[in-house]
Amino acid sequence: MLRTHHCGELRKNDVGKEVTLCGWVDTRRDHGGLIFIDVRDRWGVTQTVFNPAVSKELHGKAEQLRSEYVIQVKGKVTERPPGTENAKLPTGQIEVVAADLEILNTSPTPPFEISGTEPLSEEIRLKYRFLDIRRPSMMRNLTTRHKVTQIAREYFNNLQFIEVETPYLTKSTPEGARDFLVPARLSPGEFYALPQSPQLFKQILMVSGIDRYFQIVRCFRDEDLRADRQLEHTQIDVEMSFVNEEDILGVIENLMAAVVKGVLCREIKTPFLRMPYDEAMNRYGSDKPDLRFGMELRDVTDILKGSQSKIFEESFAKGGVAKGILVPAAASFSRKDLDDLTQYAKDFGAQGLAWFKIQDAVDSPIRKFFSDEQMNRLTRELGAEKGGLILVVTGDWKMVCIVLGALRFHLAQKLNLIARDQLSLHWVVKFPLFEWNDEEKRMQACHHPFTSPQPGDLHLLESEPLKVHARAYDLVFNGTEAGGGSIRIHNRDIQKKVFGILGIEDKDAEEKFGFLLKALEFGAPPHGGIALGLDRLTALLLGLDSIREVIAFPKTQKGICPLSQAPSPVSPRQIKELHLTLKA
């Protein structure tokens, strides 16, 4: 090795040792004779001192050093003089008096200060990602991601899981997002698809008798990007045989306890709360509710029925509902604030937003349409006190829940009501198996078509499919879905019925999923699993808003890599070899 120690290692008990350090020039300070060079590597920073009284030649060499030069320094560890210690650094009680210096490489002036704290544009950071990763915050993020993967691997290995790799070049199957397609040179006119998940293969591994499988796996989805979504992402993928929901939930809860303890040095209580989907929507307006603050939804349909409000009465006549939330200490909102909230509600599908300020009397533009008794019951139901603001939405049940859920979270952020230091982990369970796609006029799977129905709902499959519940579960971490899974269908006849409800004909099923259906014929055991988003989980543990902060080389929101300039054109020869023709 070119060094004896790394730059975050030396302490007071190392005084007197002859050491060799390697790293980058973090800062250079010339104190009228003495030159101080902070040398930085992945582990930290160590101060080195170049004294002209020791060697003028060495001192002159140190004068050439600039930010981000790569150097090797040899010298003796000494205590810093009294009063010059740096309590902010683990190495702050010592320094290395240089006896030799070698410049291993030079560097132009970087486009930003590596140890700086000023905000940087994402475009610059991603273009110079090789410099951005040198920053302590990014190094911390990637180190944390590494810790999570190592804890997961050790955890599953101790439970006798087997890590098995599944193909990246596979068959295109409809799984919710667009596939990335790869032309097959050896089969002209045909394509591989990059997997959106290893779903079919991990089920086949259960048929194969692997029994307990896991994989840290890359997944690919050609979809619009946002802060918690990338074209390629990584999952901690798990599948188990001869299990029920509680078995899988228990395994994952203990994994999360190990990860939180290993990364944050905090204990979390298990088992986690299990919340049915209907309850989550009714109380929080979300299938991934953040439980770190209140503002629960309340059904006020019965209270507001029989009013003089045409909008509410027409909604109720069509089977609609009314729900409300109480926003504490928000009666001071201006008319513009309330107009903005109304527009926000409309953006999520509402026709409008009713508001009631709780002051000495209830103040609202529609107050006149409701009786005193209705207003009294409304304020009691919501627990409203003077200074509060009640927001009410009416219409279709799901729309009302979604709109108020969005308002709930938006206002909690705006009013700083979220307890950021809390860790809230819980399960949402008992999802619907199907949902109606009104735009395409067809039934679709809420999760995916291989999710098993609840045994008690099997008799409803063909007669009332929208009432069938799934054996599905999502792990919610601070209001974000950190993972999801289900018990799978292991019986070919039930799988065929589900395909039929989804409008997948036998011929199409055979074409898309024939290899799985064939496997299910050969003694498939009961099985189930889950996938946790590694990028998302790491970002949540670190309290970051974007998963790009925990990915070494992410894409921008437009799907571009500023570092490599991908995607990019390829040569006509490559196109010809793939038997493709590009349109101008």
Side-chain angles (χ1 to χ4, degrees):
M1 299 289 287
L2 298 182
R3 59 191 172 193
T4 59
H5 298 76
H6 60 68
C7 295
E9 187 174 354
L10 298 173
R11 299 291 187 272
K12 199 171 181 179
N13 58 4
D14 294 304
V15 168
K17 289 183 180 178
E18 298 286 344
V19 299
T20 303
L21 301 178
C22 291
W24 287 265
V25 174
D26 191 62
T27 58
R28 174 183 178 276
R29 303 182 301 281
D30 192 332
H31 287 188
L34 296 178
I35 294 177
F36 295 90
I37 302 293
D38 286 346
V39 188
R40 182 192 70 246
D41 63 11
R42 178 183 124 195
W43 289 274
V45 173
T46 297
Q47 178 173 285
T48 61
V49 186
F50 293 83
N51 190 338
V54 175
S55 169
K56 288 185 178 180
E57 181 183 355
L58 187 61
H59 185 269
K61 205 171 181 181
E63 288 181 325
Q64 303 172 31
L65 298 179
R66 296 294 180 268
S67 178
E68 299 311 304
Y69 276 30
V70 188
I71 61 175
Q72 181 191 60
V73 181
K74 297 179 180 179
K76 181 179 285 188
V77 181
T78 64
E79 279 192 70
R80 292 198 191 189
T84 66
E85 301 93 339
N86 187 345
K88 295 180 180 178
L89 289 178
T91 58
Q93 290 186 306
I94 59 92
E95 59 191 13
V96 174
V97 177
D100 191 24
L101 168 68
E102 183 174 350
I103 300 175
L104 302 175
N105 216 333
T106 61
S107 171
T109 302
F112 50 82
E113 188 179 347
I114 303 301
S115 297
T117 56
E118 73 281 1
L120 303 170
S121 76
E122 186 174 72
E123 186 71 22
I124 289 293
R125 289 181 57 202
L126 295 185
K127 182 177 180 179
Y128 294 95
R129 195 63 159 182
F130 47 86
L131 295 177
D132 189 44
I133 290 175
R134 291 182 194 172
R135 298 166 69 225
S137 59
M138 274 302 300
M139 198 64 73
R140 175 203 63 168
N141 296 349
L142 295 181
T143 301
T144 300
R145 182 190 177 104
H146 165 76
K147 284 182 181 178
V148 174
T149 59
Q150 295 309 305
I151 291 168
R153 279 199 162 97
E154 182 182 4
Y155 175 81
F156 286 119
N157 182 60
N158 289 338
L159 291 179
Q160 300 182 44
F161 281 74
I162 298 176
E163 186 170 5
V164 183
E165 292 183 344
T166 51
Y168 277 0
L169 296 175
T170 184
K171 186 179 180 68
S172 178
T173 57
E175 292 188 47
R178 296 182 194 90
D179 285 327
F180 280 103
L181 301 178
V182 181
R185 182 180 60 82
L186 300 178
S187 301
E190 297 185 342
F191 296 81
Y192 300 105
L194 301 181
Q196 295 184 35
S197 77
Q199 183 61 50
L200 304 187
F201 287 103
K202 67 182 185 178
Q203 288 192 245
I204 288 174
L205 287 173
M206 295 302 100
V207 180
S208 305
I210 290 294
D211 198 286
R212 295 183 180 190
Y213 142 95
F214 86 99
Q215 185 181 187
I216 312 291
V217 60
R218 299 289 274 175
C219 301
F220 307 86
R221 297 183 181 183
D222 185 4
E223 57 189 354
D224 295 335
L225 303 186
R226 58 191 186 204
D228 63 349
R229 184 182 286 172
Q230 282 277 296
L231 300 178
E232 47 188 329
H233 64 278
T234 306
Q235 289 182 179
I236 302 175
D237 205 46
V238 181
E239 199 78 7
M240 303 164 63
S241 293
F242 305 110
V243 291
N244 59 29
E245 292 91 326
E246 282 301 318
D247 297 318
I248 295 170
L249 270 53
V251 166
I252 299 304
E253 286 171 352
N254 289 332
L255 168 66
M256 291 304 300
V259 167
V260 169
K261 186 173 183 179
V263 172
L264 302 180
C265 300
R266 293 175 63 175
E267 302 283 346
I268 56 173
K269 185 179 178 182
T270 59
F272 301 161
L273 171 71
R274 279 93 162 119
M275 182 180 294
Y277 167 84
D278 287 348
E279 181 184 344
M281 294 298 291
N282 273 318
R283 292 176 61 188
Y284 301 101
S286 172
D287 60 3
K288 46 182 183 295
D290 192 332
L291 305 186
R292 293 175 296 170
F293 63 98
M295 281 208 302
E296 291 189 26
L297 282 58
R298 293 284 188 269
D299 192 302
V300 294
T301 307
D302 291 341
I303 294 173
L304 300 183
K305 270 183 179 177
S307 73
Q308 301 301 310
S309 169
K310 185 178 178 181
I311 292 174
F312 278 85
E313 290 307 302
E314 286 181 353
S315 171
F316 297 149
K318 295 176 183 177
V321 301
K323 286 180 176 289
I325 58 172
L326 172 67
V327 188
S332 59
F333 278 12
S334 68
R335 189 57 187 258
K336 183 182 184 305
D337 291 332
L338 294 167
D339 288 345
D340 289 343
L341 288 178
T342 300
Q343 185 57 53
Y344 191 85
K346 288 180 177 179
D347 291 343
F348 279 86
Q351 286 189 327
L353 177 68
W355 53 265
F356 304 86
K357 290 184 176 183
I358 313 304
Q359 297 173 328
D360 291 329
V362 176
D363 176 27
S364 171
I366 61 173
R367 166 67 181 87
K368 60 187 176 183
F369 298 123
F370 300 93
S371 68
D372 291 343
E373 182 188 356
Q374 285 177 312
M375 290 295 95
N376 290 334
R377 289 180 63 195
L378 179 68
T379 55
R380 283 200 304 271
E381 177 65 27
L382 273 296
E385 297 179 351
K386 187 176 179 180
L389 174 70
I390 293 175
L391 303 176
V392 177
V393 176
T394 187
D396 170 75
W397 173 81
K398 190 169 184 179
M399 179 276 291
V400 168
C401 291
I402 290 172
V403 170
L404 282 175
L407 281 168
R408 173 182 179 266
F409 186 68
H410 171 70
L411 287 164
Q413 288 184 306
K414 180 178 179 178
L415 300 173
N416 198 27
L417 301 178
I418 302 173
R420 300 286 181 183
D421 59 336
Q422 285 187 17
L423 296 180
S424 173
L425 292 109
H426 64 278
W427 296 99
V428 174
V429 299
K430 214 173 181 184
F431 285 85
L433 187 63
F434 304 107
E435 61 187 354
W436 180 252
N437 186 322
D438 201 47
E439 187 177 325
E440 299 179 16
K441 305 299 180 187
R442 67 177 182 87
M443 204 75 76
Q444 64 186 27
C446 284
H447 278 67
H448 55 62
F450 315 108
T451 299
S452 177
Q454 291 281 350
D457 291 346
L458 285 173
H459 66 286
L460 299 172
L461 261 181
E462 294 172 282
S463 60
E464 297 181 279
L466 288 174
K467 291 186 177 180
V468 177
H469 292 93
R471 299 181 70 181
Y473 33 81
D474 282 356
L475 177 64
V476 182
F477 186 162
N478 288 354
T480 297
E481 180 194 330
S486 66
I487 300 297
R488 323 302 186 186
I489 298 171
H490 70 281
N491 179 284
R492 181 174 175 133
D493 291 338
I494 296 176
Q495 185 67 77
K496 188 175 179 181
K497 281 185 181 180
V498 169
F499 281 157
I501 293 168
L502 296 172
I504 302 174
E505 302 291 339
D506 289 351
K507 181 181 177 182
D508 293 333
E510 195 62 40
E511 180 183 341
K512 297 292 186 184
F513 313 111
F515 60 108
L516 174 63
L517 296 176
K518 176 62 69 176
L520 292 179
E521 293 179 356
F522 285 82
H527 61 282
I530 191 170
L532 302 173
L534 175 62
D535 318 294
R536 195 174 291 181
L537 175 59
T538 307
L540 286 165
L541 289 165
L542 291 168
L544 302 171
D545 293 326
S546 172
I547 62 171
R548 291 191 283 273
E549 296 297 322
V550 299
I551 298 173
F553 305 107
K555 307 292 189 292
T556 66
Q557 200 162 358
K558 293 183 179 179
I560 294 169
C561 174
L563 176 67
S564 66
Q565 295 300 303
S568 61
V570 296
S571 69
R573 178 182 176 181
Q574 289 173 285
I575 297 296
K576 186 177 179 181
E577 286 177 340
L578 295 172
H579 311 281
L580 297 176
T581 303
L582 296 184
K583 289 185 177 181

